Amino acid sequence: MSAAAGVARRLAGPLLSASMLCLALWALHRLLGAVSYHEVRGYFHGLRAGQIALALALTAGGYAVMTLYDGFALAAIGRRLPYRRVGLIAFISYAFSNTLGMALLVSGSIRYRFYVQAGLSTGEIARVVLYCTAGFWLGLCALAGTTLLLVPVPPELPLAAAARPLGALLALVPLAWLGGGLLVRRPLRLWRWQVELPGPAQAARQVLVGALDWGLAAGVLYVLMPEAISGGFGHFLAIFVLAQMAGLISHVPGGLGVFEAVMLAGFGVAGNQGLEAPILGSLAAFRAIYYLLPLCVATLAVVWREARGLRRRALLAPWFTAWLPPFFAGLTLVCGAVLLFSGATLALPGRMAILRELLPLPVLEVSHFMSSVIGMLLLILARGLQRRLDAAYVLTLVLLVAGAVFSLLKGIDYEEAALLSLLALALAPAHRHFYRRASLFSASFSAGWIVAILAVLGCAGWLVMFSFKHVEYSSSLWWEFSFRHGGAPRALRALVGAAAVGLLFALAHLIRAVRPRHRPPSEEELARAWPLIKRFPSTQAHLALMGDKALLFDPDDRAFVMYDTEGRSWVAMGDPVGADEDARRELVWSFRELCERSGGWPVFYQVRPEDLDLYLEVGMNLLKIGEEARVPLAGFNLDGKSKKVLRNTVNKLNRDGLRLQIVPADGVPALLPRLKPVSDAWMAGKKVREKRFSLGAFRPDYLARTPMAVAWLDDEPVAFANLLLNETREEASVDLMRHLPDAPAGIMDYLFVELMQWARGEGYRWFNLGMAPLSGLQNRRLAPLWMRFGALVFGRGERFYNFRGLHRYKDKFDPEWEPRYLAVPAGVALPVVLANVASLIAGGLGGVVRR
């Protein structure tokens, strides 16, 4: 895929959502030409207590029904959890996904975080998410199809002629699902997936729960609608399901604007002219009761859960702590939007009358302006919270408190002040999750994030035009200051102030320091890396000395990442190198942001189990790619029956005159001309060429930096290996290990045994034999697809690579096998990443298919 095509594909989704939102706002502008903001607000505040109570009861019933999705899903996969726990997880996931949109992504990630804590495997969680998503859509199709078939759609609607065929098509979906479960007993093969259809009872539960869920949602809006609407509940339901489907297809968060436009258009052509303002007021009340109120309750539930975990002093699992910053980022985004929308509308006259008696006019004007500016700043800071920036955390806390104060001063908006204060109280004890000291200007903003900020600002602009369309615009309007007639000027000034803040931040972001280009490290950089390499417990860090990988240092030279690029994959070799954990953690973030600014995929190859939390925290996925063999030297010896072959080999070669010499690094350059023929003969005999990236090569500048082990026979070198050693004496290892084709049999065994015994005598704890690719992967029915494929290749891929033979050879030294992982960003094309990594190691795609 070309770079242009990749960029176009990444932008397609956000641009489509933005286009749909703009189209919806344009439609609302046309539909509400004769409607004033005062009429809408009047209906909203005039709703009867009985209507609100009934809407609240139906909302509670709807969210209670949503918990059945998860309950039935867990029963379908044979897992049992307390209903109280399942209900809480389901409620939180739906409260967020209903409001933020992207239901599969948002609710799926929330379920993953919570169900992992409950002991479910990744495969089981995926089945739960798919079950719930299927029920969600099956219920909508069943309700929409039945309604469109039974209820006449107003002929004035654009889709009226296609309503019955569309209804029949939608109704066929749940019928096919039910029939398939009854008739098809074997799993269906869909491309690379196997789909096992549920039995008739299970399928019927999915359809009924989904239909009941959507029916209750429609009931909430129906009881809030004006009594004068014509057609009854049947006509209302037909328009409601069409509007919901349009909102879901648009991918606009919560269908905002799209749902309202379709509802107004549907009722407008169905003989309800003159009711646009009451209908829009009921839609606003529906948003507040069915979306925002459950979101606030879910926020309290998450805060209570976090506070309870802190009170018990229990360390939260990395996957749960990794979810908290995005959670707070989403809420901050919502609070910023609320402040912008509030600043774009007229304050309540009764509250303004109170303020007129208490405050001077300049305080009101400044408060209104600053609340919108703070709203825009919160939209920007939300990205910093998602990136765990310490500065974003501090600024967000300050601005939330300031925003609450300004909300009270600009119109006694205690509802907004309560929302902002609640978020500030929830965020205050979470400082430990925002540990990064990076600049806010260094945080990358994805296309989706930029579109979201622009969409909020665009909606705020539309609200200004709608709320004050009765006000005639003139240049003097900008300078009018009044308690009674200053609403429009205040809204215009606040909108321009918010837009100016966003523009200034964008300009500052554009003129920040240019990102570093990928280039081989200089001698000065290698000298900076050398102390970190020597103190790092893993000898793998010595691969930085090859000079074929770029080095990314933290600002204080406390850690570095070595990486190379292939296609869109930016592949880091191993974990960040350094002893400072904070610096290493920050480098993972910095590397990911560097990749995102360049349109690349961050990949970490051969990462260790003890560092997995570094990658989980930045939202990366982990794939096991093999196991590394590490021999504990304290107990290593050649005693016993199992070591008889090794013992005999070493004794025989010693008797034949073979001897091992450890040459210090300063003596290696003079020795390299005698070792070069050994290396060339070895490569010619194996019919291979030099590898790179994760392996060393015969390069004098690389080999001269480390000691060398040389096996001599009759004063001629027959084998050699460069030694990778660290000052901590935690681990010893070798990289290049080559011998003459006619060297004595067992020369490799001799080298390993002699080096292990030497390293043990020098006080080293471990000897690293390197990784056995694809070792330890399980080919089980419930294992992830990658695990099953890797296990299959490990068992049957001998014609491509000696997977089993390499594992067997290393296993005879009685090592401890430790898993090694590949960290990749969520959603990338895994085969492309694997091909890029293989190409890096082999020195090009040609090296992957030939030795």
Short mmCIF file of all heavy atoms in Angstrom, two decimals, residues 294-321:
data_model
loop_
_atom_site.label_atom_id
_atom_site.label_comp_id
_atom_site.label_asym_id
_atom_site.label_seq_id
_atom_site.Cartn_x
_atom_site.Cartn_y
_atom_site.Cartn_z
N PRO A 294 -27.07 8.69 32.59
CA PRO A 294 -26.36 7.42 32.81
C PRO A 294 -24.84 7.57 32.74
O PRO A 294 -24.12 6.88 33.46
CB PRO A 294 -26.88 6.51 31.69
CG PRO A 294 -28.22 7.07 31.35
CD PRO A 294 -28.07 8.55 31.51
N LEU A 295 -24.35 8.49 31.88
CA LEU A 295 -22.91 8.71 31.81
C LEU A 295 -22.37 9.23 33.13
O LEU A 295 -21.32 8.79 33.61
CB LEU A 295 -22.59 9.69 30.68
CG LEU A 295 -21.11 10.05 30.50
CD1 LEU A 295 -20.31 8.82 30.08
CD2 LEU A 295 -20.95 11.17 29.47
N CYS A 296 -23.11 10.16 33.76
CA CYS A 296 -22.68 10.68 35.06
C CYS A 296 -22.70 9.58 36.12
O CYS A 296 -21.78 9.47 36.95
CB CYS A 296 -23.57 11.84 35.49
SG CYS A 296 -23.40 13.31 34.46
N VAL A 297 -23.74 8.76 36.11
CA VAL A 297 -23.83 7.67 37.09
C VAL A 297 -22.70 6.67 36.86
O VAL A 297 -22.08 6.17 37.82
CB VAL A 297 -25.21 6.98 37.01
CG1 VAL A 297 -25.27 5.78 37.94
CG2 VAL A 297 -26.31 7.97 37.35
N ALA A 298 -22.41 6.35 35.60
CA ALA A 298 -21.32 5.42 35.30
C ALA A 298 -19.97 6.00 35.75
O ALA A 298 -19.10 5.27 36.23
CB ALA A 298 -21.28 5.12 33.80
N THR A 299 -19.81 7.30 35.59
CA THR A 299 -18.58 7.95 36.05
C THR A 299 -18.42 7.78 37.56
O THR A 299 -17.34 7.45 38.06
CB THR A 299 -18.60 9.45 35.70
OG1 THR A 299 -18.74 9.59 34.29
CG2 THR A 299 -17.32 10.13 36.16
N LEU A 300 -19.50 8.00 38.30
CA LEU A 300 -19.46 7.81 39.74
C LEU A 300 -19.12 6.36 40.09
O LEU A 300 -18.37 6.10 41.04
CB LEU A 300 -20.80 8.20 40.36
CG LEU A 300 -21.11 9.69 40.42
CD1 LEU A 300 -22.54 9.91 40.90
CD2 LEU A 300 -20.13 10.40 41.36
N ALA A 301 -19.67 5.42 39.30
CA ALA A 301 -19.41 4.00 39.58
C ALA A 301 -17.93 3.67 39.38
O ALA A 301 -17.33 2.95 40.18
CB ALA A 301 -20.28 3.13 38.66
N VAL A 302 -17.33 4.21 38.32
CA VAL A 302 -15.90 3.94 38.07
C VAL A 302 -15.05 4.59 39.15
O VAL A 302 -14.08 4.00 39.64
CB VAL A 302 -15.51 4.43 36.67
CG1 VAL A 302 -14.00 4.31 36.46
CG2 VAL A 302 -16.24 3.64 35.60
N VAL A 303 -15.40 5.83 39.53
CA VAL A 303 -14.64 6.52 40.58
C VAL A 303 -14.75 5.76 41.90
O VAL A 303 -13.76 5.59 42.63
CB VAL A 303 -15.16 7.96 40.75
CG1 VAL A 303 -14.54 8.62 41.96
CG2 VAL A 303 -14.85 8.78 39.49
N TRP A 304 -15.94 5.28 42.21
CA TRP A 304 -16.13 4.50 43.44
C TRP A 304 -15.31 3.23 43.39
O TRP A 304 -14.67 2.84 44.38
CB TRP A 304 -17.60 4.17 43.61
CG TRP A 304 -17.87 3.15 44.68
CD1 TRP A 304 -17.92 3.35 46.02
CD2 TRP A 304 -18.13 1.75 44.47
NE1 TRP A 304 -18.19 2.17 46.68
CE2 TRP A 304 -18.32 1.17 45.75
CE3 TRP A 304 -18.22 0.94 43.35
CZ2 TRP A 304 -18.59 -0.18 45.91
CZ3 TRP A 304 -18.50 -0.41 43.52
CH2 TRP A 304 -18.67 -0.95 44.78
N ARG A 305 -15.27 2.58 42.24
CA ARG A 305 -14.49 1.34 42.10
C ARG A 305 -13.00 1.62 42.29
O ARG A 305 -12.29 0.87 42.96
CB ARG A 305 -14.76 0.75 40.72
CG ARG A 305 -14.11 -0.60 40.46
CD ARG A 305 -14.35 -1.02 39.02
NE ARG A 305 -13.73 -2.30 38.74
CZ ARG A 305 -14.33 -3.47 38.82
NH1 ARG A 305 -15.59 -3.52 39.22
NH2 ARG A 305 -13.70 -4.59 38.53
N GLU A 306 -12.51 2.73 41.68
CA GLU A 306 -11.10 3.08 41.83
C GLU A 306 -10.78 3.44 43.27
O GLU A 306 -9.75 3.02 43.82
CB GLU A 306 -10.78 4.26 40.90
CG GLU A 306 -9.44 4.92 41.14
CD GLU A 306 -8.27 4.10 40.66
OE1 GLU A 306 -8.50 2.98 40.19
OE2 GLU A 306 -7.12 4.56 40.79
N ALA A 307 -11.66 4.24 43.90
CA ALA A 307 -11.41 4.64 45.29
C ALA A 307 -11.40 3.43 46.21
O ALA A 307 -10.59 3.35 47.15
CB ALA A 307 -12.47 5.64 45.74
N ARG A 308 -12.27 2.47 45.96
CA ARG A 308 -12.30 1.26 46.79
C ARG A 308 -11.00 0.47 46.62
O ARG A 308 -10.45 -0.05 47.60
CB ARG A 308 -13.49 0.39 46.39
CG ARG A 308 -13.69 -0.80 47.31
CD ARG A 308 -14.89 -1.62 46.90
NE ARG A 308 -14.73 -2.19 45.59
CZ ARG A 308 -15.55 -3.10 45.06
NH1 ARG A 308 -16.61 -3.49 45.73
NH2 ARG A 308 -15.34 -3.57 43.85
N GLY A 309 -10.47 0.43 45.38
CA GLY A 309 -9.21 -0.26 45.16
C GLY A 309 -8.06 0.42 45.88
O GLY A 309 -7.18 -0.23 46.46
N LEU A 310 -8.06 1.76 45.88
CA LEU A 310 -7.01 2.48 46.59
C LEU A 310 -7.12 2.30 48.09
O LEU A 310 -6.13 2.21 48.81
CB LEU A 310 -7.09 3.98 46.23
CG LEU A 310 -6.72 4.34 44.79
CD1 LEU A 310 -6.97 5.83 44.56
CD2 LEU A 310 -5.27 4.02 44.51
N ARG A 311 -8.35 2.27 48.59
CA ARG A 311 -8.56 2.13 50.02
C ARG A 311 -8.05 0.78 50.51
O ARG A 311 -7.53 0.64 51.62
CB ARG A 311 -10.05 2.28 50.32
CG ARG A 311 -10.36 2.57 51.76
CD ARG A 311 -11.79 3.05 51.94
NE ARG A 311 -12.76 2.14 51.38
CZ ARG A 311 -13.59 2.46 50.40
NH1 ARG A 311 -13.54 3.65 49.84
NH2 ARG A 311 -14.47 1.59 49.94
N ARG A 312 -8.17 -0.23 49.65
CA ARG A 312 -7.66 -1.55 50.03
C ARG A 312 -6.18 -1.70 49.75
O ARG A 312 -5.59 -2.75 50.02
CB ARG A 312 -8.43 -2.63 49.25
CG ARG A 312 -9.90 -2.71 49.66
CD ARG A 312 -10.61 -3.75 48.80
NE ARG A 312 -12.01 -3.88 49.17
CZ ARG A 312 -12.88 -4.67 48.55
NH1 ARG A 312 -12.48 -5.37 47.51
NH2 ARG A 312 -14.12 -4.74 48.94
N ARG A 313 -5.60 -0.67 49.13
CA ARG A 313 -4.17 -0.69 48.80
C ARG A 313 -3.81 -1.87 47.91
O ARG A 313 -2.75 -2.48 48.06
CB ARG A 313 -3.31 -0.69 50.07
CG ARG A 313 -3.49 0.56 50.91
CD ARG A 313 -2.55 0.56 52.08
NE ARG A 313 -2.71 1.78 52.86
CZ ARG A 313 -2.00 2.07 53.95
NH1 ARG A 313 -1.08 1.23 54.38
NH2 ARG A 313 -2.21 3.20 54.60
N ALA A 314 -4.71 -2.18 47.04
CA ALA A 314 -4.45 -3.28 46.10
C ALA A 314 -3.94 -2.68 44.80
O ALA A 314 -4.47 -1.71 44.29
CB ALA A 314 -5.74 -4.07 45.83
N LEU A 315 -2.87 -3.26 44.29
CA LEU A 315 -2.33 -2.79 43.02
C LEU A 315 -3.29 -3.18 41.91
O LEU A 315 -3.63 -4.35 41.75
CB LEU A 315 -0.95 -3.40 42.77
CG LEU A 315 0.17 -2.89 43.66
CD1 LEU A 315 1.44 -3.68 43.36
CD2 LEU A 315 0.40 -1.41 43.45
N LEU A 316 -3.72 -2.19 41.15
CA LEU A 316 -4.62 -2.47 40.05
C LEU A 316 -3.84 -3.11 38.92
O LEU A 316 -2.67 -2.81 38.68
CB LEU A 316 -5.28 -1.18 39.56
CG LEU A 316 -6.16 -0.49 40.61
CD1 LEU A 316 -6.66 0.83 40.03
CD2 LEU A 316 -7.32 -1.35 41.01
N ALA A 317 -4.49 -3.99 38.20
CA ALA A 317 -3.83 -4.67 37.08
C ALA A 317 -3.46 -3.65 36.02
O ALA A 317 -4.12 -2.64 35.85
CB ALA A 317 -4.79 -5.71 36.49
N PRO A 318 -2.36 -3.87 35.28
CA PRO A 318 -1.93 -2.91 34.27
C PRO A 318 -3.02 -2.59 33.26
O PRO A 318 -3.14 -1.46 32.82
CB PRO A 318 -0.74 -3.62 33.61
CG PRO A 318 -0.23 -4.57 34.63
CD PRO A 318 -1.44 -5.01 35.40
N TRP A 319 -3.83 -3.60 32.88
CA TRP A 319 -4.87 -3.34 31.89
C TRP A 319 -5.96 -2.43 32.43
O TRP A 319 -6.60 -1.72 31.69
CB TRP A 319 -5.48 -4.65 31.40
CG TRP A 319 -5.75 -5.63 32.50
CD1 TRP A 319 -6.82 -5.66 33.33
CD2 TRP A 319 -4.91 -6.71 32.91
NE1 TRP A 319 -6.71 -6.69 34.22
CE2 TRP A 319 -5.56 -7.36 33.98
CE3 TRP A 319 -3.69 -7.19 32.45
CZ2 TRP A 319 -5.00 -8.46 34.61
CZ3 TRP A 319 -3.15 -8.28 33.09
CH2 TRP A 319 -3.80 -8.91 34.15
N PHE A 320 -6.17 -2.42 33.77
CA PHE A 320 -7.17 -1.52 34.32
C PHE A 320 -6.61 -0.11 34.45
O PHE A 320 -7.27 0.88 34.10
CB PHE A 320 -7.65 -2.04 35.67
CG PHE A 320 -8.76 -1.21 36.27
CD1 PHE A 320 -9.96 -1.08 35.60
CD2 PHE A 320 -8.59 -0.56 37.47
CE1 PHE A 320 -10.99 -0.32 36.13
CE2 PHE A 320 -9.61 0.21 38.01
CZ PHE A 320 -10.81 0.33 37.34
N THR A 321 -5.40 0.01 34.96
CA THR A 321 -4.79 1.33 35.08
C THR A 321 -4.57 1.94 33.70
O THR A 321 -4.61 3.17 33.55
CB THR A 321 -3.44 1.25 35.82
OG1 THR A 321 -2.58 0.36 35.12
CG2 THR A 321 -3.64 0.74 37.23
#
